[in-house]
Amino acid sequence: MEMPVPDASVLSRKAKIVERLSQVLPRDAVISDERETRAYECDALTAYKCPPLCAVLPANTKEVADVLRVCHEMGVPVVPRGSGTSLAGGALPTADCVILGVAKMNDVIETNYDDRYIRVQTGRTNLSVTGAVETNGFFYAPDPSSQLACAIAGNIAMNSGGAHCLKYGVTTNNLMGVTMVLMDGTVVEIGGAHLDSGGLDILGVICGSEGQLGVVTEATLRILHKPEGARPVLMGYDSSEVAGQVVTDIIKAGILPVAIEFMDRPCIEATEAFAKAGYPMCEALLIVEVEGSDPEIDAQLKLIMEIAASHNPVELREAKDAEEAGRIWLGRKSAFGAMGQINDYMCLDGTIPVSSLPFVLKRIGEMSKEFGLDVGNVFHAGDGNMHPLILFDANKPGDLELCEEFGAEILKLCVEVGGCLTGEHGVGIEKRDLMNVQYDPADLEAQMAIKDIFDPAWLLNAAKVFPLETSDARRAA
Amino acid sequence: MTPKSEEELAQMITGANGPLRIKGGGTRPIGRCEGDELSTSAMSGISLYEPGALTIVAGAGTPISEVEKVLAAENQRLAFEPMDHRTLLGTKGEPTLGGMAAANVSGPRRISVGACRDFMLGVRFVDGHGNIIKNGGRVMKNVTGYDLVKLMTGSYGTLGVLTEVSLKVLPNVETIGTVMLRGLTDAKAIQAMSAALGSPFEATGVAHFPKSKFGDPLTMIRVEGFETSVTYRAEKLRDLLTSYGDAEIQVGATEGPGSAEGWAWVRDVTAFAEQPGDVWRISAKPSDAAELAAKMDAKAVQYDWGGGLIWALTDEGRDLRTALGDFDGHATLIRGTADVPTFQPEAPALAAITAGLRAKFDPRGILNPGIMN
């Protein structure tokens, strides 16, 4: 994985740049000491590290605008950072960049239950958005598994999803408006407490643009009243084909569960050893959750259990109460941790058409043997978003590279069967060089043309998303 | 011009000497523009439908009716409930998927499940350079690169001519129930609708009519799903709203306001059809809606989306935006001849981005020029 050569003229002007930034920010909001900038050297893709030139922690939109204006004038690259939980390297610095962290901006600006929205500064964590409204019975629906730590800024940048998006959608479906600062310091208001755009859907293109178009400082988010209740069932099958068929049959029966999670045998074995959730040892395990009042849940689960039973499950278990529900979710929720106990792992997130599930799992199994690396699969089965976890040993020379090569092959397979490289984590640097697999040059040119409008000098997080050789001319200009 | 393929379309765009007016079914003549007609009707047909994956892919010229028929056979539907503009605008022809996407057309269920743009999974289009471009795909979760799918949806053909769209679809429902309150003022009705939408009972249509053919004034709240669930939720909503009056409940009605036909009447703004006057569509913060409506001095208004969408019938030729002043939202002239911009003018910083995007995708300004002014 290659990053652009740092701009020597920027590196040589570090003192001047820090001085200018210190003029527009409080003293403690500019971090330039090399020991302290190390805190920003990577995000959750820890295989790649590079301390930035310096980091700044503005407290509001005006300070963000001041920082960007200074960087724009001085030609300094900027990498925005939410909470640094990106698995794709979205917040990986370059040596010549200013890290713009939104961590200080975590206020709730307004809550409005009548109109069902909350407006927050974007450094606020995902879970604490729900935290701000849950005493009134409301919640913010997108629930990435990093929700305890991840910031709304990063959620917007990556258009984050979560386990419950089959019913509630992902970030873009729950984002109503933003205040965004462009690289030249211009502040733009887009959307608001109303629905849909009165012109082009600029909000739609900002969400998921990986911090390349602007820095979103405030966001208006849709909030919903919590359902009366939710309960899962667990089912185990001898083959992934059958499990895939069960998913299809449930959906075709007119039931829309809030979540359908899938785990394969390697993952079940790992989580059992780690969390002892009492899962059956089988090829494919499904957790299906539905919402509503108790009688409504009973009725939906009855239908789901009938469908499940007709496919000869090795196990079929309905949660009768909260404790049993907790036990059903326990293994799934500890799956990543369990795999991490075995070895280092790389987590992919390609999406495939649900109908390709058995074929893709079979191919991944074959590739696992070819590469000599174990893989466990956790999967949002309702929407086709896979999470293959490839195990490797970071201390073994060449293992990371082998793992990356294997990962790339899996992602190519996802595209081949009609899916995509990333369902919810984003491209970042991790999948940057695979973009040509999914998109033709004209497709990428159209996307880059958008960045040209928002950030003509290509200073904002510019080494991400697009293959370096594709964006070279623009970054060098 | 009626291109049969993307390649032919690309040649026509590259070879065009002047503006092109892009036509789907021609049923939604919103906005003004002149130019040679370019029809997508020959790029028609469903290329993929996987009911188990809740996805459908079809050519931009495919009639919506054809898609809905195919979906209905598998007990599925376009959940965002696209409005049929023919009644309101007095147009003929077959609404197409491309036209629906280009105008981001949704209906009452938008308040619950999202708009057309929220169900758009992928697009193929030809831009003003004549480049054939794809974005998104046919899977529900996709964050690979920038989301041009959203950008294209609602861009009225000004960034490119859609050739193919992929959509997420949802299961159809067993039955619908409607909770009806009568006699509420606009302000009270909006409070009641907000209470319904802020409950756990998942209202999927929430509309208010100060005047309606089903009696004045009428507030309608819809719930959908399996019959036992619909009955349960409708009763819960009635109990929740007792302070607003004794609500009537209809479950599985085959006629009247609570039936599918009644909700189509809401969706298509049928009340304003064949009524003289301009028709405006205003997206607003629901709690501002009653006050905004009062400022309009309209001949008639109706509220959808719990007050988030106001339809106004006004005297011809008025600039309703002057009456509305600054507000959180936007007003679009859907029918009428008023000499005012069809779409809400944007603030300068946003307008500059919009203009920049148009110049990038259509540098010669030949794709539906001026239609979004």
Side-chain angles (χ1 to χ4, degrees):
Chain A
M1 210 284 307
E2 196 192 333
M3 287 298 272
V5 179
D7 184 337
S9 88
V10 171
L11 297 179
S12 69
R13 286 181 291 147
K14 176 172 175 176
K16 184 73 194 160
I17 293 163
V18 169
E19 189 195 325
R20 285 284 306 279
L21 290 170
S22 303
Q23 286 164 3
V24 297
L25 289 177
R27 181 189 296 265
D28 64 348
V30 183
I31 297 153
S32 61
D33 185 292
E34 276 171 35
R35 281 162 304 182
E36 291 177 59
T37 55
R38 286 218 168 270
Y40 299 93
E41 68 185 0
C42 69
D43 53 24
L45 184 68
T46 52
Y48 297 97
K49 294 185 167 79
C50 172
L53 190 75
C54 66
V56 295
L57 298 171
N60 53 47
T61 302
K62 184 190 172 295
E63 288 184 2
V64 170
D66 289 342
V67 165
L68 290 177
R69 204 170 292 118
V70 165
C71 292
H72 185 249
E73 276 170 28
M74 301 186 81
V76 183
V78 173
V79 173
R81 180 184 169 99
S83 295
T85 58
S86 172
L87 290 165
L92 177 72
T94 50
D96 57 0
C97 88
V98 172
I99 283 280
L100 193 164
V102 293
K104 277 192 182 170
M105 304 197 294
N106 49 27
D107 286 347
V108 171
I109 297 162
E110 185 194 356
T111 45
N112 183 323
Y113 297 104
D114 285 339
D115 297 321
R116 301 166 303 284
Y117 68 84
I118 182 170
R119 188 161 173 88
V120 296
Q121 287 187 310
T122 56
R124 194 167 183 90
T125 61
N126 175 293
L127 198 60
S128 68
V129 171
T130 290
V133 295
E134 68 186 346
T135 50
N136 287 60
F138 281 73
F139 74 113
Y140 173 60
D143 60 340
S145 50
S146 57
Q147 69 180 153
L148 188 64
C150 64
I152 292 299
N155 288 184
I156 293 170
M158 295 311 199
N159 189 14
S160 303
H164 291 80
C165 55
L166 184 59
K167 178 170 178 190
Y168 294 111
V170 295
T171 302
T172 192
N173 313 112
N174 292 276
L175 177 68
M176 299 169 70
V178 296
T179 299
M180 183 171 86
V181 187
L182 303 183
M183 188 62 215
D184 67 2
T186 306
V187 178
V188 194
E189 297 290 341
I190 305 165
H194 60 277
L195 294 173
D196 298 341
S197 172
L200 294 181
D201 192 350
I202 312 261
L203 188 63
V205 80
I206 285 165
C207 191
S209 63
E210 307 209 7
Q212 293 198 309
L213 302 184
V215 177
V216 175
T217 56
E218 294 180 13
T220 303
L221 307 169
R222 182 174 78 136
I223 52 172
L224 298 169
H225 198 285
K226 284 185 183 173
E228 288 184 274
R231 239 186 295 143
V233 284
L234 177 149
M235 44 192 98
Y237 291 97
D238 280 334
S239 82
S240 60
E241 280 92 344
V242 175
Q245 193 56 48
V246 171
V247 172
T248 303
D249 287 356
I250 290 171
I251 288 172
K252 283 177 77 171
I255 306 164
L256 195 65
V258 277
I260 307 180
E261 296 289 302
F262 177 105
M263 286 169 69
D264 69 357
R265 181 183 280 276
C267 235
I268 299 167
E269 284 172 354
T271 52
E272 271 310 294
F274 179 67
K276 300 189 176 49
Y279 284 179
M281 284 301 156
C282 57
E283 294 309 313
L285 183 144
L286 292 173
I287 299 172
V288 182
E289 182 161 272
V290 295
E291 288 181 345
S293 65
D294 266 335
E296 287 177 298
I297 290 174
D298 288 342
Q300 291 180 78
L301 288 187
K302 182 168 172 283
L303 276 170
I304 290 171
M305 300 282 277
E306 278 168 19
I307 292 166
S310 72
H311 288 278
N312 298 320
V314 297
E315 176 139 348
L316 187 53
R317 192 192 306 165
E318 183 183 346
K320 294 281 182 221
D321 53 38
E323 200 222 318
E324 284 182 28
R327 233 176 309 136
I328 285 180
W329 275 112
L330 176 68
R332 168 61 186 90
K333 290 192 171 166
S334 50
F336 285 28
M339 295 296 277
Q341 288 287 309
I342 303 173
N343 219 329
D344 300 300
Y345 68 79
M346 185 163 101
C347 174
L348 303 174
D349 90 311
T351 307
I352 59 168
V354 181
S355 53
S356 311
L357 172 64
F359 171 71
V360 171
L361 287 180
K362 184 171 140 270
R363 278 295 297 137
I364 290 176
E366 290 163 6
M367 286 193 263
S368 168
K369 290 198 184 79
E370 288 161 27
F371 281 91
L373 294 173
D374 287 331
V375 189
N377 283 287
V378 184
F379 189 88
H380 302 307
D383 52 36
N385 194 186
M386 302 194 75
H387 287 308
L389 302 166
I390 308 176
L391 295 173
F392 70 103
D393 182 353
N395 295 320
K396 189 172 155 193
D399 229 29
L400 170 67
E401 290 72 17
L402 188 66
C403 171
E404 286 183 327
E405 205 183 312
F406 183 9
E409 289 307 313
I410 292 177
L411 294 181
K412 284 178 195 169
L413 176 65
C414 290
V415 175
E416 243 168 66
V417 298
C420 67
L421 298 172
T422 169
E424 57 184 0
H425 293 173
V427 178
I429 54 159
E430 193 201 16
K431 281 146 287 200
R432 186 190 64 191
D433 299 318
L434 290 171
M435 284 290 271
N436 292 319
V437 176
Q438 186 171 335
Y439 288 119
D440 294 329
D443 304 330
L444 292 178
E445 181 61 32
Q447 295 181 32
M448 291 190 297
I450 291 173
K451 183 163 172 64
D452 292 342
I453 300 301
F454 286 84
D455 174 26
W458 278 63
L459 289 171
L460 206 49
N461 218 13
K464 316 283 168 67
V465 184
F466 305 105
L468 288 184
E469 68 273 15
T470 309
S471 65
D472 224 6
R474 285 173 153 96
R475 283 180 293 105
Chain B
M1 284 180 281
T2 311
K4 290 187 185 61
S5 66
E6 287 174 341
E7 290 70 25
E8 253 183 58
L9 171 61
Q11 280 169 14
M12 286 172 186
I13 289 176
T14 317
N17 296 317
L20 299 171
R21 191 164 48 85
I22 302 145
K23 185 182 168 188
T27 66
R28 312 181 204 271
I30 299 164
R32 288 176 289 260
C33 96
E34 304 281 320
D36 294 339
E37 184 176 297
L38 193 156
S39 166
T40 60
S41 61
M43 293 184 289
S44 174
I46 295 164
S47 51
L48 180 142
Y49 175 35
E50 281 190 17
L54 300 172
T55 43
I56 192 161
V57 184
T62 313
I64 295 178
S65 57
E66 184 183 327
V67 171
E68 286 181 331
K69 203 173 136 196
V70 168
L71 293 177
E74 292 288 343
N75 199 29
Q76 297 188 339
R77 63 179 179 182
L78 297 175
F80 50 95
E81 204 175 5
M83 171 179 177
D84 184 341
H85 282 76
R86 284 175 293 189
T87 318
L88 180 65
L89 303 182
T91 49
K92 292 193 167 49
E94 276 294 322
T96 62
L97 275 197
M100 172 195 85
N104 186 28
V105 178
S106 314
R109 207 176 290 108
R110 191 269 173 266
I111 191 62
S112 156
V113 299
C116 175
R117 55 94 84 180
D118 296 297
F119 286 82
M120 290 282 291
L121 301 178
V123 289
R124 295 183 63 90
F125 64 97
V126 179
D127 72 3
H129 300 275
N131 290 326
I132 300 169
I133 295 163
K134 67 170 179 297
N135 193 262
R138 50 172 279 213
V139 288
M140 259 186 245
K141 275 169 86 182
N142 186 348
V143 296
T144 320
Y146 295 172
D147 191 345
L148 270 61
V149 180
K150 301 275 184 309
L151 187 64
M152 292 304 294
T153 308
S155 65
Y156 284 81
T158 60
L159 302 179
V161 181
L162 290 172
T163 59
E164 184 186 270
V165 301
S166 322
L167 287 159
K168 173 183 173 180
V169 299
L170 286 182
N172 210 340
V173 293
E174 191 173 284
T175 193
I176 70 172
T178 305
V179 180
M180 283 171 288
L181 287 160
R182 294 186 185 269
L184 298 181
T185 62
D186 292 11
K188 274 280 173 200
I190 284 164
Q191 284 173 18
M193 293 193 288
S194 287
L197 285 165
S199 79
F201 308 117
E202 295 184 16
T204 69
V206 186
H208 175 71
F209 298 83
K211 289 191 188 335
S212 92
K213 72 168 182 179
F214 302 110
D216 307 338
L218 173 67
T219 311
M220 300 164 60
I221 300 160
R222 179 177 63 184
V223 282
E224 297 174 289
F226 294 106
E227 190 169 350
T228 49
S229 172
V230 166
T231 303
Y232 167 80
R233 287 175 186 229
E235 285 170 359
K236 281 284 189 183
L237 281 165
R238 181 190 59 200
D239 296 349
L240 180 76
L241 299 172
T242 45
S243 63
Y244 298 94
D246 288 332
E248 177 198 344
I249 294 175
Q250 291 184 351
V251 174
T254 51
E255 56 182 27
S259 66
E261 220 172 287
W263 281 98
W265 178 84
V266 175
R267 180 193 69 193
D268 296 340
V269 198
T270 312
F272 295 175
E274 292 172 20
Q275 299 268 2
D278 291 352
V279 175
W280 290 81
R281 181 181 184 273
I282 300 106
S283 173
K285 187 162 121 177
S287 56
D288 290 346
E291 208 173 303
L292 285 171
K295 284 184 184 174
M296 290 177 195
D297 191 23
K299 289 153 62 127
V301 296
Q302 66 179 56
Y303 302 88
D304 200 345
W305 303 353
L309 180 65
I310 313 168
W311 287 95
L313 180 72
T314 68
D315 288 330
E316 280 171 18
R318 280 184 57 202
D319 182 358
L320 192 66
R321 295 190 190 102
T322 318
L324 290 169
D326 274 340
F327 71 104
D328 187 330
H330 49 86
T332 312
L333 179 63
I334 297 294
R335 188 185 82 189
T337 52
D339 187 21
V340 295
T342 305
F343 290 81
Q344 183 86 23
E346 292 170 327
L350 191 56
I353 293 171
T354 296
L357 290 170
R358 281 201 213 296
K360 278 281 181 191
F361 282 84
D362 178 24
R364 290 185 293 154
I366 57 166
L367 301 177
N368 274 353
I371 201 170
M372 288 190 82
N373 291 346

